[in-house]
Amino acid sequence: MKIGLALSGGAARGIAHIGVLQYLEERNIKPCCIAGTSAGSIVGAYYCSGRSISEIKSLASKMSWKDLFKLSVPRKGLIRISRFLAMLEEELGDTAFDQLKIPLIVNAVDLISGEEVLFTEGPVARAVAASCAIPGIFTPIKIDNRLFVDGGLLDNVPAAHMKDSNVDFIIAVNVVAQKPLQREPDSIFEILVQSYDIIRRYRDIPACKNADALVEPDLSGFSFWDSSKADELTEMGYKAAKEALDHLDLKKKKGRIAAWFSSKKGVNKCRQ
């Protein structure tokens, strides 16, 4: 059976995606297509480029937000995204989408037109950086004279984008906290990201409506920016995947094909 995997945004909590991939590998299941938003696009890009689970986990645990991001005069964002883009380009090189071992879809939002754009061509690193550019926190990124911000602004769990990818079964992984924070936010960054999380949590079209199976680890106790807990986050993703998927036969086509919604109201999707 052809498995499609949708990986949500969620800042450092996106490390939990690694645990889901680890679970799938242990069951000898390889996704035939991955769609990623923001943090999900980072993990997806590394995996689709051929990196092993241990390599991706090592990269995640070494990622320091303080080292990668430099505060800017808040004209277009509190943090310049240039260092983050340089890190992606160092790890992925000039890899284009058509050079990946597994097809990848990355979404971002055109800040001027308000359109959601799907990247399936061109340099992977720059598309991933665009998908991660949380408005207000990170400076937007330009691609082909268009200004892009975080794809999670319109679709944080991009399961629907695999509608035309010839898959039999779609697994969505949502690492946005499904419960309120267990403590008060301690910075403007956490306040902004928590605000986005609240909007995403109560969005009118739940992620589960666009997928056959939904994996949602409870990550409300984890900081948005703390990548030092990579082991714990990976384990949380693994456990959630096991709980959600263990009873499913993912080798044979079984059950319904994903129920697809037509284009969301007010959102035009265009393929980049």
Side-chain angles (χ1 to χ4, degrees):
M1 182 163 61
K2 294 181 179 179
I3 303 291
L5 185 63
L7 304 178
S8 80
R13 292 169 177 163
I15 296 171
H17 292 313
I18 302 170
V20 177
L21 288 166
Q22 181 182 338
Y23 168 83
L24 292 175
E25 283 203 351
E26 287 184 7
R27 290 191 60 180
N28 199 27
I29 295 165
K30 196 87 167 179
C32 70
C33 178
I34 294 179
T37 298
S38 198
S41 73
I42 302 174
V43 175
Y46 287 158
Y47 191 73
C48 291
S49 69
R51 298 294 181 93
S52 68
I53 296 297
S54 58
E55 286 177 314
I56 300 171
K57 187 176 175 181
S58 177
L59 286 169
S61 61
K62 291 176 182 177
M63 185 181 292
S64 168
W65 296 100
K66 291 181 181 179
D67 293 339
L68 286 175
F69 298 111
K70 184 177 181 180
L71 288 175
S72 68
V73 177
R75 184 164 170 252
K76 292 186 178 180
L78 294 170
I79 300 174
R80 294 177 192 147
I81 205 167
S82 54
R83 287 187 181 181
F84 176 61
L85 174 59
M87 183 273 292
L88 290 172
E89 290 176 335
E90 181 179 347
E91 297 297 338
L92 295 169
D94 57 358
T95 302
F97 280 86
D98 61 3
Q99 296 174 306
L100 295 171
K101 299 180 184 300
I102 300 172
L104 175 68
I105 301 169
V106 172
N107 70 334
V109 176
D110 184 318
L111 189 60
I112 307 303
S113 69
E115 292 178 315
E116 184 179 19
V117 173
L118 306 185
F119 290 94
T120 58
E121 298 176 354
V124 175
R126 201 162 185 86
V128 169
S131 186
C132 293
I134 303 172
I137 296 181
F138 304 125
T139 52
I141 190 164
K142 272 198 173 182
I143 300 176
D144 295 332
N145 292 318
R146 300 176 73 178
L147 199 61
F148 289 102
V149 292
D150 190 347
L153 197 63
L154 291 179
D155 190 353
N156 196 50
V157 187
H161 299 322
M162 282 179 285
K163 178 179 180 181
D164 300 321
S165 297
N166 193 30
V167 297
D168 300 313
F169 194 93
I170 294 163
I171 300 168
V173 187
N174 184 16
V175 298
V176 170
Q178 300 304 306
K179 298 179 181 179
L181 285 179
Q182 298 177 1
R183 54 176 175 72
E184 288 188 8
D186 59 9
S187 70
I188 185 173
F189 305 111
E190 289 209 346
I191 290 171
L192 285 169
V193 176
Q194 173 66 1
S195 299
Y196 286 124
D197 271 3
I198 291 169
I199 294 170
R200 293 163 179 167
R201 197 183 305 154
Y202 298 106
R203 193 160 282 164
D204 57 344
I205 302 179
C208 58
K209 294 287 182 69
N210 291 320
D212 295 289
L214 181 65
V215 178
E216 285 190 309
D218 179 11
L219 303 177
S220 55
F222 291 86
S223 165
F224 301 108
W225 311 112
D226 189 2
S227 57
S228 67
K229 292 184 171 59
D231 287 338
E232 297 167 64
L233 286 161
T234 301
E235 182 64 21
M236 292 293 285
Y238 181 92
K239 287 181 178 179
K242 184 176 178 63
E243 181 179 343
L245 305 174
D246 235 15
H247 66 289
L248 298 175
D249 183 354
L250 297 177
K251 296 291 186 181
K252 296 179 180 179
K253 186 172 178 180
K254 193 174 183 179
R256 67 179 182 83
I257 300 295
W260 296 108
F261 279 84
S262 57
S263 296
K264 298 175 187 177
K265 186 177 180 181
V267 175
N268 295 315
K269 296 186 177 71
C270 61
R271 192 171 294 276
Q272 181 75 5

